[in-house]
Amino acid sequence: MTQPSPHAPPPTAPLIELTGLEKTYEAGGTLIYALRATDLIVRHGAFLTVMGPSGSGKSTLLNLFGLLMRPTAGTYLLEGRAVSGLNDDATSAVRCKMIGMVFQSFNLLSHLTILENVCVPMQYAGLPRAAMRQRGKALLDRFGLDGRYGSRPTQLSGGQCQRVAIARALANDPPVILADEPTGNLDEQTGLEVMGIFQELHRSGKTIIMVTHNPAYRKYATQAVSIHDGRACET
Amino acid sequence: MNLLEMSVTVYASLTRHLVRSLLATLGIVLGIAAVVAMLAIGEGGRQEALRQIESQGIDNIILRSVKPAEGNAQQTTRSYTQRYGITQRDVEHIESVFENVRLIVPVMEVRREIYLGQTSTDIKAVATTPAFLEVSRCRLVDSRSRFLVPTDGKILDPVCVVGTKAARRLFGHRDPLGQAVVIGNVSFRVVGLVENPGGGRIGGQFELNNLVCMPLETATSLWGGITIQMRRGMAEKVDYDFLYLAAKNIDAIPGTAGRLRTYLRGAHAQVDYEVQVPYELLQSARRTQRIFTVVMTSIAAISLLVGGIGIMNIMLANIFERTREIGVRRALGARKRDILWQFLAESVLLTSIGGGLGAGLGIATAAAAEMISRLGGEAGLKAVVTSESLIVALAVSVITGISFGTHPAWKAAQLDPLTALRHE
């Protein structure tokens, strides 16, 4: 359905490089390792799944990828640029233009229409209104939501909401999509439909990093990381 | 985020809970309404006071004879006549000593009844000189009219000039010019019709538009020094009831008034006079206005403080309720300042809407107060809404929004994106 961008870098070039990336907390005088020193390279066009039991550090890793938390130690390069130590404005700009996020609970803004929801990242990217709406509609059309632009998230099914969330993640055409258990709130059939969308995005050249509990989704991945007690290892 | 997108976002957020948003502005609405209404009524009162003062002539000093208290009465042993007030001697002294006075216009009340048919009226008759037209700020109403001229006094002509209100009462719709007015038992021919546009009064006493003026010499020749008989054989005599002094310029008024008071204190054994200085009254009215403004500002500040606290409260509750939304926006690329501006704009929009509604309510309240006060047919309150007061009201609303919205907006902007995203 979609073609890889002609300007996309070669699929083997590293998109993300983690070196000794670590996240610790202190609780009651005890140092807790949410993520132990992790080295990882994610190349352009990869489909990475992150698996592990609850509390193992999957979400911590995803939040570090998404710059929603700062690492305690180590470096995080995104397209060769160290991004973990940036100030708030620069971090926000990276989140806005380089990273698309899809959440388990969709996190759509219920008081906005689905078109407005899709437009939110583009507002922060400073796109003109007309261009923004045009792109928002095209994205919704792409995911089978044409004609539903004025609907509110509460009027849609879970699968439709997740499709809106994916459309929103693609709004600024970021190179990487982070998905935190995107099928966790969906039934099996709808979950498979959503995975089909991710597979299609991967084929179009997007780099997908997905946290999941479901080992069946391993088959979609080109790369897999397993985490136990904060220790990440490629499998 | 550009301004248009910001406006759309803010509008969407506020209309999400429309009733709550409107209730949040209630404090601001009532505060601004009270301020606008009171400013309108205050401004109306100020303009009315200024009109009254200015209608007396801002460059005039007016002396009025005042009957002293009984115990101070200065009696002549034989005639039991009580003399008081402004005397011919005063006039001569002022003429010779007060170099900044360019005109002296005496006014004497002719204590004689004016009848409408068989019924006596409250229309007053005064005797004065031709310069009265100028100092009283009256104007001739039609081109056929004239005021008193020096010849009238010289030939003791029984002519008079009537005010518009007096003319209406005496002659109805008939042309007053050439008609006769009977004062005492003497018939006077009307030669002029005058009007004081401000509806002023002589020395704050007699309404200028309800007067009949005759030449001073004619009145004196008819009735001599005006003396009226009182009870128990007691009589009173006044040379002049009022004395208008027109200053050469306004700057000379305070000094001249001061010297005049000093002179009168020395020349009169008792306080049987009153010195009215419209210029001083104007200054006093301005001082009163300033006090009124300070009081109003204080009331406005208190009401807006209450309204502002209400807004801050609602905004803090809003932010708590929308913590997850803040987290989502931050995760999608919003900077801290985008969140700050969004919530600050919401707060300012709320208070501006409150200010707008309050201004409308204030105008309506002022108009209603004016209407109710005039229900009896009398001249009541006057409300004047100035564009300045509306601008101030709206500016204050915006400032309130900024002042009380900054803290909640700053708090929203400081939220950690991840913590906000996990908020239930």
Side-chain angles (χ1 to χ4, degrees), chain B residues 29-217:
Chain B
V29 172
L30 295 178
I32 294 289
V35 171
V36 169
M38 284 197 269
L39 278 179
I41 291 167
E43 178 64 18
R46 188 186 72 88
Q47 285 188 11
E48 186 62 19
L50 290 184
R51 191 184 59 77
Q52 292 272 356
I53 292 166
E54 281 169 359
S55 70
Q56 291 193 45
I58 204 70
D59 58 349
N60 285 338
I61 295 173
I62 301 152
L63 300 184
R64 181 169 83 91
S65 295
V66 178
K67 187 180 175 185
E70 288 280 330
N72 295 333
Q74 185 184 13
Q75 293 178 5
T76 56
T77 47
R78 289 177 59 197
S79 63
Y80 295 99
T81 299
Q82 185 184 6
R83 289 188 68 109
Y84 65 86
I86 313 301
T87 62
Q88 180 58 32
R89 197 172 139 253
D90 295 330
V91 174
E92 286 161 8
H93 178 81
I94 292 165
E95 254 172 355
S96 60
V97 172
F98 285 73
E99 69 285 354
N100 284 323
V101 175
R102 70 181 167 86
L103 272 178
I104 299 177
V105 181
V107 180
M108 191 164 63
E109 184 193 352
V110 179
R111 292 169 167 81
R112 299 288 185 277
E113 297 281 350
I114 298 178
Y115 286 91
L116 177 60
Q118 300 297 312
T119 317
S120 105
T121 65
D122 63 351
I123 299 168
K124 297 286 180 188
V126 295
T128 186
T129 63
F132 182 74
L133 182 69
E134 180 192 336
V135 296
S136 65
R137 299 296 190 275
C138 287
R139 61 179 176 84
L140 293 168
V141 169
D142 75 47
S143 56
R144 297 169 303 143
S145 283
R146 70 168 177 85
F147 197 68
L148 305 174
V149 292
T151 322
D152 296 330
K154 279 181 193 157
I155 63 171
L156 305 177
D157 206 0
V159 292
C160 68
V161 173
V162 292
T164 46
K165 189 171 171 185
R168 256 197 316 279
R169 295 181 65 186
L170 290 169
F171 310 114
H173 294 297
R174 282 179 294 153
D175 181 3
L177 297 182
Q179 302 278 352
V181 179
V182 177
I183 303 170
N185 48 11
V186 181
S187 178
F188 285 77
R189 182 168 49 89
V190 178
V191 294
L193 186 64
V194 293
E195 182 185 46
N196 179 276
R201 292 168 180 268
I202 301 180
Q205 300 294 307
F206 306 148
E207 192 182 346
L208 284 158
N209 291 332
N210 199 29
L211 275 187
V212 174
C213 303
M214 65 182 70
L216 187 64
E217 296 86 343

Side-chain angles (χ1 to χ4, degrees), chain A residues 123-146:
Chain A
Q123 288 180 332
Y124 295 119
L127 256 71
R129 186 165 179 77
M132 207 162 65
R133 291 181 70 84
Q134 191 183 3
R135 178 159 172 76
K137 284 176 182 174
L139 284 165
L140 289 173
D141 292 349
R142 178 176 167 186
F143 296 116
L145 290 160
D146 42 318

Side-chain angles (χ1 to χ4, degrees), chain B residues 276-296:
Chain B
Q276 296 179 4
V277 187
Y279 178 78
E280 287 177 355
L281 292 175
L282 186 68
Q283 301 296 343
S284 168
R286 284 181 179 152
R287 273 195 298 276
T288 308
Q289 179 64 23
R290 275 197 290 276
I291 293 167
F292 181 78
T293 304
V294 169
V295 171
M296 284 307 306

Side-chain angles (χ1 to χ4, degrees), chain A residues 88-89 105 107 123 129, chain B residues 5 324 329-330 337 418:
Chain A
D88 183 74
D89 276 10
S105 53
N107 277 341
Q123 288 180 332
R129 186 165 179 77
Chain B
E5 289 310 311
R324 200 179 174 90
R329 287 183 179 276
R330 294 281 278 135
R337 83 176 89 129
L418 193 58

Side-chain angles (χ1 to χ4, degrees), chain A residues 21-222:
Chain A
L21 202 73
E22 192 173 283
K23 182 68 184 178
T24 55
Y25 303 99
E26 197 172 309
T30 312
L31 198 63
I32 296 167
Y33 283 86
L35 184 73
R36 292 174 190 275
T38 300
D39 297 327
L40 181 68
I41 292 178
V42 182
R43 297 186 184 281
H44 272 285
F47 192 137
L48 171 71
T49 54
V50 181
M51 294 194 190
S54 294
S56 58
K58 304 186 299 294
S59 294
T60 302
L61 182 60
L62 199 74
N63 290 332
L64 287 167
F65 278 134
L67 299 177
L68 291 172
M69 63 169 59
R70 286 175 185 275
T72 319
T75 57
Y76 170 14
L77 303 183
L78 182 61
E79 287 197 325
R81 179 188 178 200
V83 291
S84 52
L86 297 175
N87 65 22
D88 183 74
D89 276 10
T91 304
S92 299
V94 172
R95 276 200 297 259
C96 184
K97 291 174 181 167
M98 304 284 289
I99 300 167
M101 293 196 198
V102 179
F103 304 93
Q104 180 180 353
S105 53
F106 324 130
N107 277 341
L108 298 177
L109 304 181
S110 59
H111 63 287
L112 302 182
T113 64
I114 61 169
L115 178 60
E116 288 165 341
N117 266 285
V118 173
C119 290
V120 169
M122 292 186 272
Q123 288 180 332
Y124 295 119
L127 256 71
R129 186 165 179 77
M132 207 162 65
R133 291 181 70 84
Q134 191 183 3
R135 178 159 172 76
K137 284 176 182 174
L139 284 165
L140 289 173
D141 292 349
R142 178 176 167 186
F143 296 116
L145 290 160
D146 42 318
R148 303 294 304 267
Y149 309 140
S151 300
R152 307 268 164 186
T154 48
Q155 297 168 308
L156 303 184
S157 67
Q160 287 173 318
C161 281
Q162 198 57 298
R163 278 187 273 157
V164 175
I166 295 169
R168 184 178 66 182
L170 293 169
N172 289 328
D173 195 21
V176 60
I177 305 292
L178 305 180
D180 189 1
E181 302 199 36
T183 60
N185 276 1
L186 305 174
D187 59 59
E188 192 180 344
Q189 182 55 38
T190 314
L192 285 172
E193 284 171 21
V194 167
M195 285 310 293
I197 294 172
F198 279 109
Q199 192 175 26
E200 185 192 308
L201 292 176
H202 174 232
R203 284 184 188 138
S204 72
K206 292 287 176 206
T207 303
I208 313 286
I209 299 176
M210 179 186 290
V211 166
T212 179
H213 271 112
N214 193 337
Y217 295 159
R218 173 70 180 81
K219 67 181 180 196
Y220 295 96
T222 58

